[in-house]
Amino acid sequence: MFSIDLAAPGVAAVSGRLDASQAGAAQAFLDRVAGVVTLDCSRLDYISSAGLGVLLRTQKRLVAASGKLRLAGVNPHLLDILTYSGFDQIFEIEPAT
Amino acid sequence: MSMPVDERDISAQGVRAILAVTTALAAPFDLITMLAEVVKAAKQVLGADRGSVWLYDAATDELVLEVATGIQPVRVRAGTGLAGTCARSRAIINVPDCYADPRFDPSVDRSSGYRTRCMLTLPLIDHKDVLVGVMQVLNKRAGVFDQDDEVLATALAAQCAVALQRVRMTEAVLEGEKLRQELETARVVQMSTLPATMPAVGGYDVYGTFMPAALTGGDTFDLAMLGSSLLVVLADATGHGIAPALSVTQMHAMLRIAFRLGADLETAFLHVNNQLAATLAEDRFITAFIGVLDPAVHRIRFHSGGQGPILRFDAAKGVCDVYKPTSFPLGAMPLASMKPAVNVDLRPGDVVLLLSDGIYEYCNSQGEEFGVARVEQLVAANHRLPAAGLSRVLLHAIAEFAAGAPQEDDITIVIVKREGMAAASHAEFVRDFACLPAIFAFTADFFSREAVPAALLSAVDFALEELFTNMVKYSPSGSPTVAVDIAVIPGGVTVSITDRDVEPFDVTRAAAVDVNLPLEQRRPGGLGLHLVRHLVEDLDYAYAPDTRSSRITFRKTVGGPSAGGTGDGAGRQSVLD
C-alpha cells in the first residue's frame, strides 16, 4: 500500500505505489514540506504520470521559494521513467545503490 | 603402315558409306539395338563378313562382349588379346593373317566353327576422348583390310563411339529414373501409414509431422487412440534407399495390429522386436519410441529401442528433461524379457517431444550439427505455442540453420503437449481511479500464474494506468466498465484495454512532449502517453464504429525497450526527433 511520511528533518520517505489513485494523498503531504527536501524513494515500487505530476508541482513550488526536492534511492524502473520524462534535468537524482 | 591414318583422305565412296550409316546410328535408344546397328554399319562400310563390338568397363578395366541376351557376356582384361591390346594402346591393329599373330585367340573360332582370316581392331573413342570400347571387323569379302579401310574404319569408329556413348548415358538416366520411381512408390506406401488427422485427446494438444528426405530415410510416426489411451510412436529404420521405408512401414503395421489385438505395451514391444529380429536383414534395425499416454492420470509409459534423446519440457521449471532409450534398437536381436517401462508424469503445460535424428544431426554447410541444445532452447522459448506452432518453429529454425544445406535424412516431429491453465485473462473494471489497485492485482496475478518475467510488470502497469486513467478522465459517459485483456506471447505479454460507447481518440497520435523545457515551463499533461510510447512495444489504436469502442493494444517483451533497465537518456532524444 502507498504511504508517505517524514522520516527525518528534511527527509520524506515514500513507499508502495504512487499511482493516480494515490496522487491526491501524496500531493496533500508534499504541499506541507518546505526548503530543501530529500524524497527517499528506496521503497517506492512504482510511479505513474499522476505521481510525476505531484513531483513536478512540488518542485516548482519549492524552487520558487529557493528550496528544492531531491530524489534518492531511485530504482531502475523509476529512473527509466524519470529519464524519459526529462525529470533528470529538473531534479537531483540519486539512484539506488 | 606408310602413313598415319588420320592424314589420309577418305574416298568419296567411303564418305557416302559413312553418311549412309550415320542416320541409322542416330535412331536407337537401347544398347543392344545400338550395338547391332554399329556392327551392321561396320560390315557395310568396310565390306566385312562379321563384326563385333566390345564395350569398355572402366570400373574393372575390362572389355565386355555382349554375346546374346540371357548369356553371360565375355570379359577380357584390357591389355590382353587383340581387343585388349587395342583398348590399352588406343591404336588401330590390322592383322592380315590372324593365325600367324600370337595375340589372336583361336578358341572362339573353335567353338563357333567359323574361321577368322583377317581382322581389323580399332578403338572407339568419343568426342571427349573417352574410350567407349573396341570394334573388330573380320574377313574382308575381297582380300585383306588395307590402309584405305583403316582410314574409313577410323572415321566410322568416331561416329560409332559417340552413338554408343549417347545410348549408354540415356540408359543411365532411365535407370536413375526407374530407381527414383521405385523409391517414390515406397515413399507413398510409407506416407500412407501416417495418421491422416491428429487424434483429439481431452486436455492435450498432439501433433506429428514427417518431411521425407529426397533419397533415403525410413522414419515413421503414429498417434492413435487405443480406447481412452493415446499410442505415441516415432521410429527410424537404418539404411538407404527403399529398404528402410519398407521396414518401418512393416513395423508400423505390426504395432497397430498388436495393439488392436489387445497387447499391452511390453508385449507389443517384445513381439514386434522379436519378429523384426527374425525377418530383418542382419545389418538392419529400427530405432523406435513406443509410448502410451493415459490422459486420465496424465502419464506416458514408454519403451524406447535406441530412439533418443526424448525430451520432456517441464513447464514449472522452464527446462527440458532428457530421457535416454530404454533398450537397443528393434530387430537388432531377440529379447527374452523386458525391463519396466519408463513413466513420465505430465503437469499442465508440459510437453513431450520426439524428434528423429534427421533433426539433431542436420548439418549446415560448415558441417556443424543442429544438436540437442538448440532444440531445448527453442522449446523453452516457444513452449506456450500450440503443438503445431512449436513444430513449425522447429522446422523454421532448422531451415535457417541449414542455410541451404540439403536435407540428408527424414525429419519427423511428434509433440504431445498437456494443455496449461488459460494463458489469457479478461477482466472488467469500473470507470473509476479507485479501480487501479484491482487492475494491478489482476496483472500481478496473471504474471505470477503464467510465470511472465516480473521485470515486465511495472511497464505493463504503467501503460495500463495511463490508458485507463485517460479513459476515466476524458470519456466519463462511456460504458460503466473498461475491459482489460492480457495474454502470453513468446517472451512476454500482449495487453489490450477496450473502452465502449466512446468517441474515437487515437492515443498513438497524441502530441509529443518537449521534455527538455526548463522547470517553470513544464506541465504534467501529456507525459503519461509520452512515456507509454517509450515503455511498451507496438502500441496500436483501433476504433470500431458499430460498438463505438476504442481498443488500445500493446506488447511488452523481454528484449523490448526499457525492460526495467537503466535509462540512458536515449528516449529523451527520440521524443524530439
Side-chain angles (χ1 to χ4, degrees), chain B residues 52-87:
Chain B
S52 54
V53 173
W54 300 77
L55 290 175
Y56 180 62
D57 182 352
T60 59
D61 194 29
E62 287 176 325
L63 288 171
V64 184
L65 180 65
E66 295 284 350
V67 181
T69 310
I71 298 175
Q72 281 289 336
V74 179
R75 287 179 167 266
V76 180
R77 289 198 57 77
T80 58
L82 279 166
T85 304
C86 173

mmCIF file of all heavy atoms in Angstrom, chain B residues 52-87:
data_model
loop_
_atom_site.group_PDB
_atom_site.id
_atom_site.type_symbol
_atom_site.label_atom_id
_atom_site.label_comp_id
_atom_site.label_asym_id
_atom_site.label_seq_id
_atom_site.Cartn_x
_atom_site.Cartn_y
_atom_site.Cartn_z
ATOM 1 N N SER B 52 32.171 -57.321 -84.413
ATOM 2 C CA SER B 52 31.711 -57.349 -83.016
ATOM 3 C C SER B 52 32.180 -56.065 -82.318
ATOM 4 O O SER B 52 33.154 -55.450 -82.729
ATOM 5 C CB SER B 52 32.243 -58.585 -82.288
ATOM 6 O OG SER B 52 33.652 -58.640 -82.406
ATOM 7 N N VAL B 53 31.447 -55.711 -81.277
ATOM 8 C CA VAL B 53 31.812 -54.507 -80.517
ATOM 9 C C VAL B 53 31.971 -54.881 -79.056
ATOM 10 O O VAL B 53 31.075 -55.457 -78.443
ATOM 11 C CB VAL B 53 30.741 -53.401 -80.670
ATOM 12 C CG1 VAL B 53 31.052 -52.235 -79.742
ATOM 13 C CG2 VAL B 53 30.649 -52.925 -82.109
ATOM 14 N N TRP B 54 33.122 -54.571 -78.518
ATOM 15 C CA TRP B 54 33.391 -54.745 -77.087
ATOM 16 C C TRP B 54 33.165 -53.397 -76.407
ATOM 17 O O TRP B 54 33.640 -52.380 -76.905
ATOM 18 C CB TRP B 54 34.855 -55.156 -76.844
ATOM 19 C CG TRP B 54 35.281 -56.436 -77.495
ATOM 20 C CD1 TRP B 54 35.573 -56.623 -78.809
ATOM 21 C CD2 TRP B 54 35.488 -57.689 -76.856
ATOM 22 N NE1 TRP B 54 35.948 -57.917 -79.061
ATOM 23 C CE2 TRP B 54 35.909 -58.603 -77.851
ATOM 24 C CE3 TRP B 54 35.363 -58.151 -75.551
ATOM 25 C CZ2 TRP B 54 36.194 -59.937 -77.581
ATOM 26 C CZ3 TRP B 54 35.659 -59.477 -75.269
ATOM 27 C CH2 TRP B 54 36.067 -60.361 -76.292
ATOM 28 N N LEU B 55 32.490 -53.409 -75.261
ATOM 29 C CA LEU B 55 32.317 -52.164 -74.509
ATOM 30 C C LEU B 55 33.346 -52.136 -73.386
ATOM 31 O O LEU B 55 33.630 -53.162 -72.772
ATOM 32 C CB LEU B 55 30.908 -52.077 -73.918
ATOM 33 C CG LEU B 55 29.802 -51.857 -74.949
ATOM 34 C CD1 LEU B 55 28.439 -51.915 -74.270
ATOM 35 C CD2 LEU B 55 29.987 -50.519 -75.662
ATOM 36 N N TYR B 56 33.892 -50.965 -73.161
ATOM 37 C CA TYR B 56 34.914 -50.838 -72.119
ATOM 38 C C TYR B 56 34.235 -50.550 -70.784
ATOM 39 O O TYR B 56 33.414 -49.640 -70.656
ATOM 40 C CB TYR B 56 35.894 -49.709 -72.464
ATOM 41 C CG TYR B 56 36.970 -49.525 -71.422
ATOM 42 C CD1 TYR B 56 37.873 -50.558 -71.143
ATOM 43 C CD2 TYR B 56 37.082 -48.323 -70.718
ATOM 44 C CE1 TYR B 56 38.858 -50.391 -70.182
ATOM 45 C CE2 TYR B 56 38.072 -48.156 -69.760
ATOM 46 C CZ TYR B 56 38.951 -49.194 -69.486
ATOM 47 O OH TYR B 56 39.933 -49.037 -68.539
ATOM 48 N N ASP B 57 34.589 -51.374 -69.769
ATOM 49 C CA ASP B 57 34.076 -51.158 -68.413
ATOM 50 C C ASP B 57 35.214 -50.556 -67.591
ATOM 51 O O ASP B 57 36.127 -51.266 -67.164
ATOM 52 C CB ASP B 57 33.628 -52.508 -67.820
ATOM 53 C CG ASP B 57 33.046 -52.349 -66.417
ATOM 54 O OD1 ASP B 57 33.135 -51.229 -65.858
ATOM 55 O OD2 ASP B 57 32.496 -53.342 -65.895
ATOM 56 N N ALA B 58 35.125 -49.229 -67.409
ATOM 57 C CA ALA B 58 36.227 -48.517 -66.743
ATOM 58 C C ALA B 58 36.390 -48.984 -65.296
ATOM 59 O O ALA B 58 37.497 -48.959 -64.745
ATOM 60 C CB ALA B 58 35.963 -47.010 -66.783
ATOM 61 N N ALA B 59 35.277 -49.411 -64.686
ATOM 62 C CA ALA B 59 35.328 -49.806 -63.274
ATOM 63 C C ALA B 59 36.233 -51.015 -63.071
ATOM 64 O O ALA B 59 36.933 -51.110 -62.061
ATOM 65 C CB ALA B 59 33.922 -50.101 -62.769
ATOM 66 N N THR B 60 36.217 -51.954 -64.044
ATOM 67 C CA THR B 60 37.018 -53.178 -63.894
ATOM 68 C C THR B 60 38.199 -53.220 -64.843
ATOM 69 O O THR B 60 38.980 -54.173 -64.813
ATOM 70 C CB THR B 60 36.134 -54.418 -64.146
ATOM 71 O OG1 THR B 60 35.593 -54.306 -65.473
ATOM 72 C CG2 THR B 60 34.992 -54.504 -63.149
ATOM 73 N N ASP B 61 38.317 -52.174 -65.703
ATOM 74 C CA ASP B 61 39.352 -52.129 -66.729
ATOM 75 C C ASP B 61 39.268 -53.379 -67.615
ATOM 76 O O ASP B 61 40.274 -54.019 -67.920
ATOM 77 C CB ASP B 61 40.745 -51.997 -66.084
ATOM 78 C CG ASP B 61 41.815 -51.601 -67.106
ATOM 79 O OD1 ASP B 61 41.466 -50.917 -68.091
ATOM 80 O OD2 ASP B 61 42.986 -51.987 -66.915
ATOM 81 N N GLU B 62 38.033 -53.716 -67.996
ATOM 82 C CA GLU B 62 37.810 -54.887 -68.848
ATOM 83 C C GLU B 62 37.015 -54.490 -70.084
ATOM 84 O O GLU B 62 36.300 -53.491 -70.073
ATOM 85 C CB GLU B 62 37.005 -55.954 -68.086
ATOM 86 C CG GLU B 62 37.790 -56.682 -67.022
ATOM 87 C CD GLU B 62 36.909 -57.657 -66.246
ATOM 88 O OE1 GLU B 62 35.724 -57.335 -66.033
ATOM 89 O OE2 GLU B 62 37.409 -58.705 -65.874
ATOM 90 N N LEU B 63 37.135 -55.333 -71.105
ATOM 91 C CA LEU B 63 36.267 -55.206 -72.275
ATOM 92 C C LEU B 63 35.167 -56.253 -72.148
ATOM 93 O O LEU B 63 35.422 -57.390 -71.731
ATOM 94 C CB LEU B 63 37.058 -55.441 -73.561
ATOM 95 C CG LEU B 63 38.016 -54.314 -73.946
ATOM 96 C CD1 LEU B 63 38.898 -54.760 -75.110
ATOM 97 C CD2 LEU B 63 37.255 -53.041 -74.312
ATOM 98 N N VAL B 64 33.947 -55.837 -72.471
ATOM 99 C CA VAL B 64 32.804 -56.722 -72.290
ATOM 100 C C VAL B 64 32.125 -56.935 -73.639
ATOM 101 O O VAL B 64 31.794 -55.968 -74.325
ATOM 102 C CB VAL B 64 31.796 -56.109 -71.290
ATOM 103 C CG1 VAL B 64 30.646 -57.067 -71.023
ATOM 104 C CG2 VAL B 64 32.501 -55.731 -69.994
ATOM 105 N N LEU B 65 31.936 -58.196 -74.013
ATOM 106 C CA LEU B 65 31.275 -58.518 -75.279
ATOM 107 C C LEU B 65 29.907 -59.126 -74.987
ATOM 108 O O LEU B 65 29.802 -60.187 -74.375
ATOM 109 C CB LEU B 65 32.124 -59.517 -76.082
ATOM 110 C CG LEU B 65 31.539 -59.931 -77.439
ATOM 111 C CD1 LEU B 65 31.465 -58.740 -78.391
ATOM 112 C CD2 LEU B 65 32.370 -61.055 -78.054
ATOM 113 N N GLU B 66 28.867 -58.396 -75.364
ATOM 114 C CA GLU B 66 27.504 -58.910 -75.203
ATOM 115 C C GLU B 66 27.284 -59.944 -76.301
ATOM 116 O O GLU B 66 27.216 -59.607 -77.479
ATOM 117 C CB GLU B 66 26.484 -57.763 -75.345
ATOM 118 C CG GLU B 66 26.580 -56.709 -74.256
ATOM 119 C CD GLU B 66 25.977 -57.153 -72.922
ATOM 120 O OE1 GLU B 66 25.319 -58.202 -72.876
ATOM 121 O OE2 GLU B 66 26.198 -56.435 -71.927
ATOM 122 N N VAL B 67 27.192 -61.221 -75.905
ATOM 123 C CA VAL B 67 27.083 -62.293 -76.889
ATOM 124 C C VAL B 67 25.646 -62.418 -77.369
ATOM 125 O O VAL B 67 25.345 -62.299 -78.541
ATOM 126 C CB VAL B 67 27.582 -63.628 -76.298
ATOM 127 C CG1 VAL B 67 27.486 -64.737 -77.329
ATOM 128 C CG2 VAL B 67 29.017 -63.473 -75.810
ATOM 129 N N ALA B 68 24.777 -62.677 -76.443
ATOM 130 C CA ALA B 68 23.359 -62.780 -76.782
ATOM 131 C C ALA B 68 22.584 -62.555 -75.503
ATOM 132 O O ALA B 68 23.100 -62.758 -74.404
ATOM 133 C CB ALA B 68 23.031 -64.160 -77.350
ATOM 134 N N THR B 69 21.341 -62.152 -75.647
ATOM 135 C CA THR B 69 20.525 -61.892 -74.475
ATOM 136 C C THR B 69 20.406 -63.158 -73.632
ATOM 137 O O THR B 69 20.180 -64.240 -74.157
ATOM 138 C CB THR B 69 19.120 -61.422 -74.915
ATOM 139 O OG1 THR B 69 19.294 -60.372 -75.855
ATOM 140 C CG2 THR B 69 18.323 -60.920 -73.730
ATOM 141 N N GLY B 70 20.587 -63.052 -72.343
ATOM 142 C CA GLY B 70 20.410 -64.188 -71.444
ATOM 143 C C GLY B 70 21.682 -64.987 -71.234
ATOM 144 O O GLY B 70 21.721 -65.885 -70.407
ATOM 145 N N ILE B 71 22.738 -64.682 -71.998
ATOM 146 C CA ILE B 71 24.002 -65.403 -71.812
ATOM 147 C C ILE B 71 25.001 -64.434 -71.198
ATOM 148 O O ILE B 71 25.048 -63.263 -71.562
ATOM 149 C CB ILE B 71 24.532 -65.943 -73.155
ATOM 150 C CG1 ILE B 71 23.530 -66.945 -73.728
ATOM 151 C CG2 ILE B 71 25.910 -66.583 -72.985
ATOM 152 C CD1 ILE B 71 23.881 -67.451 -75.105
ATOM 153 N N GLN B 72 25.775 -64.954 -70.220
ATOM 154 C CA GLN B 72 26.764 -64.092 -69.559
ATOM 155 C C GLN B 72 27.698 -63.484 -70.601
ATOM 156 O O GLN B 72 28.200 -64.190 -71.477
ATOM 157 C CB GLN B 72 27.599 -64.922 -68.573
ATOM 158 C CG GLN B 72 26.898 -65.211 -67.256
ATOM 159 C CD GLN B 72 26.767 -63.960 -66.387
ATOM 160 O OE1 GLN B 72 27.549 -63.024 -66.534
ATOM 161 N NE2 GLN B 72 25.767 -63.938 -65.529
ATOM 162 N N PRO B 73 27.955 -62.202 -70.535
ATOM 163 C CA PRO B 73 28.856 -61.595 -71.510
ATOM 164 C C PRO B 73 30.292 -62.090 -71.319
ATOM 165 O O PRO B 73 30.671 -62.523 -70.233
ATOM 166 C CB PRO B 73 28.745 -60.098 -71.209
ATOM 167 C CG PRO B 73 28.240 -60.010 -69.813
ATOM 168 C CD PRO B 73 27.426 -61.237 -69.565
ATOM 169 N N VAL B 74 31.091 -62.057 -72.426
ATOM 170 C CA VAL B 74 32.505 -62.422 -72.375
ATOM 171 C C VAL B 74 33.283 -61.204 -71.890
ATOM 172 O O VAL B 74 33.016 -60.087 -72.327
ATOM 173 C CB VAL B 74 33.002 -62.834 -73.785
ATOM 174 C CG1 VAL B 74 34.481 -63.201 -73.745
ATOM 175 C CG2 VAL B 74 32.162 -63.992 -74.321
ATOM 176 N N ARG B 75 34.230 -61.440 -70.977
ATOM 177 C CA ARG B 75 35.030 -60.330 -70.460
ATOM 178 C C ARG B 75 36.510 -60.578 -70.735
ATOM 179 O O ARG B 75 36.993 -61.695 -70.569
ATOM 180 C CB ARG B 75 34.822 -60.162 -68.951
ATOM 181 C CG ARG B 75 33.459 -59.573 -68.605
ATOM 182 C CD ARG B 75 33.243 -59.437 -67.113
ATOM 183 N NE ARG B 75 32.073 -58.610 -66.860
ATOM 184 C CZ ARG B 75 32.118 -57.291 -66.648
ATOM 185 N NH1 ARG B 75 33.285 -56.669 -66.647
ATOM 186 N NH2 ARG B 75 31.019 -56.608 -66.448
ATOM 187 N N VAL B 76 37.213 -59.537 -71.151
ATOM 188 C CA VAL B 76 38.653 -59.631 -71.416
ATOM 189 C C VAL B 76 39.336 -58.457 -70.733
ATOM 190 O O VAL B 76 38.862 -57.325 -70.825
ATOM 191 C CB VAL B 76 38.935 -59.542 -72.938
ATOM 192 C CG1 VAL B 76 40.431 -59.644 -73.192
ATOM 193 C CG2 VAL B 76 38.195 -60.615 -73.704
ATOM 194 N N ARG B 77 40.438 -58.734 -70.052
ATOM 195 C CA ARG B 77 41.157 -57.644 -69.406
ATOM 196 C C ARG B 77 41.813 -56.769 -70.462
ATOM 197 O O ARG B 77 42.324 -57.259 -71.466
ATOM 198 C CB ARG B 77 42.247 -58.193 -68.475
ATOM 199 C CG ARG B 77 41.698 -58.845 -67.225
ATOM 200 C CD ARG B 77 42.805 -58.962 -66.170
ATOM 201 N NE ARG B 77 43.408 -57.671 -65.841
ATOM 202 C CZ ARG B 77 42.821 -56.757 -65.052
ATOM 203 N NH1 ARG B 77 41.631 -56.998 -64.542
ATOM 204 N NH2 ARG B 77 43.412 -55.617 -64.805
ATOM 205 N N ALA B 78 41.801 -55.458 -70.225
ATOM 206 C CA ALA B 78 42.494 -54.550 -71.136
ATOM 207 C C ALA B 78 43.967 -54.929 -71.146
ATOM 208 O O ALA B 78 44.531 -55.258 -70.106
ATOM 209 C CB ALA B 78 42.316 -53.108 -70.675
ATOM 210 N N GLY B 79 44.559 -54.963 -72.347
ATOM 211 C CA GLY B 79 45.973 -55.321 -72.450
ATOM 212 C C GLY B 79 46.193 -56.735 -72.943
ATOM 213 O O GLY B 79 47.276 -57.070 -73.396
ATOM 214 N N THR B 80 45.163 -57.603 -72.868
ATOM 215 C CA THR B 80 45.333 -58.980 -73.339
ATOM 216 C C THR B 80 44.556 -59.193 -74.630
ATOM 217 O O THR B 80 43.486 -58.616 -74.836
ATOM 218 C CB THR B 80 44.857 -60.005 -72.292
ATOM 219 O OG1 THR B 80 43.492 -59.749 -72.000
ATOM 220 C CG2 THR B 80 45.662 -59.929 -71.023
ATOM 221 N N GLY B 81 45.120 -60.057 -75.496
ATOM 222 C CA GLY B 81 44.481 -60.346 -76.763
ATOM 223 C C GLY B 81 44.519 -59.133 -77.687
ATOM 224 O O GLY B 81 45.036 -58.071 -77.324
ATOM 225 N N LEU B 82 43.967 -59.272 -78.871
ATOM 226 C CA LEU B 82 43.968 -58.174 -79.847
ATOM 227 C C LEU B 82 43.088 -57.020 -79.378
ATOM 228 O O LEU B 82 43.486 -55.855 -79.421
ATOM 229 C CB LEU B 82 43.485 -58.690 -81.207
ATOM 230 C CG LEU B 82 44.549 -59.410 -82.043
ATOM 231 C CD1 LEU B 82 43.903 -60.167 -83.202
ATOM 232 C CD2 LEU B 82 45.592 -58.424 -82.560
ATOM 233 N N ALA B 83 41.881 -57.355 -78.901
ATOM 234 C CA ALA B 83 40.963 -56.303 -78.466
ATOM 235 C C ALA B 83 41.534 -55.574 -77.251
ATOM 236 O O ALA B 83 41.510 -54.343 -77.169
ATOM 237 C CB ALA B 83 39.595 -56.896 -78.137
ATOM 238 N N GLY B 84 42.074 -56.353 -76.298
ATOM 239 C CA GLY B 84 42.620 -55.761 -75.081
ATOM 240 C C GLY B 84 43.826 -54.889 -75.370
ATOM 241 O O GLY B 84 43.994 -53.825 -74.771
ATOM 242 N N THR B 85 44.670 -55.342 -76.303
ATOM 243 C CA THR B 85 45.838 -54.549 -76.691
ATOM 244 C C THR B 85 45.404 -53.233 -77.319
ATOM 245 O O THR B 85 45.956 -52.168 -77.037
ATOM 246 C CB THR B 85 46.700 -55.343 -77.696
ATOM 247 O OG1 THR B 85 47.038 -56.600 -77.097
ATOM 248 C CG2 THR B 85 47.964 -54.583 -78.054
ATOM 249 N N CYS B 86 44.381 -53.313 -78.154
ATOM 250 C CA CYS B 86 43.862 -52.120 -78.823
ATOM 251 C C CYS B 86 43.290 -51.129 -77.800
ATOM 252 O O CYS B 86 43.503 -49.922 -77.891
ATOM 253 C CB CYS B 86 42.794 -52.531 -79.833
ATOM 254 S SG CYS B 86 41.937 -51.143 -80.575
ATOM 255 N N ALA B 87 42.590 -51.680 -76.785
ATOM 256 C CA ALA B 87 41.997 -50.823 -75.761
ATOM 257 C C ALA B 87 43.091 -50.078 -75.010
ATOM 258 O O ALA B 87 42.959 -48.905 -74.687
ATOM 259 C CB ALA B 87 41.167 -51.653 -74.789
#
